[in-house]
Amino acid sequence: MTENKKEQYKIILEYIKDLSIETPSASTLLFVRENINSYQMDIDISSLVLKNKSLEITTKLILRDKTNSTEKAFFEIQYATVISIDTSITDKKVISRIVLSDLQKFIYPKIEKIFLDLIKNAGYPNIKFEKNIDFEKMYNDKFN
């Protein structure tokens, strides 16, 4: 088990829940390599309460072209993290902050590395994610 600094939660396990990399043809691969800068990252975080009162948090990253181009590739990873939260924490806002910000700041670098390595190995060796995700801001925008 991994504990965070504040010991508000413990990571019980982590795994890749789903992975999809779709490149329909060689011409699409060549086109996307030249236009990968038009691809945008979306992130979605969902949670599920498990029987043992732990939470399964799914962090989904989707990299896709949102333009009208007909030559498109699609990249998605769903990374699940099962955590237990200290039983003394009952405030839903605190739990939301753990799920949407604290945990994400801890696990995201690992998810990003896995995703980037897989995309590079799928034929896109020069891909980079230029923007850092500010999970604190995302949480504050949602709840303040």
Side-chain angles (χ1 to χ4, degrees):
M1 269 193 239
T2 304
E3 294 185 33
N4 78 340
K5 293 176 187 171
K6 296 179 186 174
E7 297 185 14
Q8 292 182 319
Y9 67 92
K10 291 181 182 176
I11 295 176
I12 299 167
L13 62 99
E14 303 172 68
Y15 63 99
I16 296 173
K17 192 174 191 175
D18 190 27
L19 176 65
S20 179
I21 297 177
E22 300 171 19
T23 305
S25 66
S27 64
T28 298
L29 174 73
L30 295 173
F31 181 82
V32 172
R33 280 183 174 179
E34 293 293 319
N35 296 284
I36 197 73
N37 292 338
S38 66
Y39 279 61
Q40 296 176 354
M41 177 78 75
D42 289 330
I43 186 166
D44 181 54
I45 301 165
S46 60
S47 62
L48 175 67
V49 178
L50 303 176
K51 289 180 183 178
N52 60 359
K53 296 187 182 179
S54 57
L55 295 174
E56 181 181 85
I57 315 306
T58 301
T59 305
K60 179 167 55 172
L61 304 180
I62 302 172
L63 184 65
R64 65 176 144 212
D65 183 354
K66 294 186 177 181
T67 68
N68 291 328
S69 171
T70 56
E71 296 276 1
K72 293 184 181 187
F74 178 79
F75 312 95
E76 177 182 312
I77 187 170
Q78 291 184 35
Y79 192 85
T81 310
V82 177
I83 65 171
S84 63
I85 295 178
D86 185 315
T87 55
S88 67
I89 300 171
T90 57
D91 183 342
K92 289 189 188 283
K93 272 190 118 171
V94 174
I95 294 170
S96 294
R97 177 176 293 280
I98 290 169
V99 168
L100 298 174
S101 182
D102 299 342
L103 174 67
Q104 299 305 318
K105 287 189 268 185
F106 183 76
I107 64 170
Y108 182 78
K110 183 187 309 184
I111 300 169
E112 182 181 86
K113 182 179 181 340
I114 291 167
F115 199 36
L116 268 174
D117 288 348
L118 289 166
I119 294 170
K120 286 177 181 180
N121 289 325
Y124 303 90
N126 298 321
I127 188 166
K128 296 178 188 168
F129 297 154
E130 300 294 331
K131 294 182 182 177
N132 291 326
I133 297 176
D134 186 344
F135 290 103
E136 191 75 25
K137 183 179 181 326
M138 284 176 56
Y139 170 79
N140 288 330
D141 289 349
K142 186 168 182 159
F143 289 101
N144 294 325

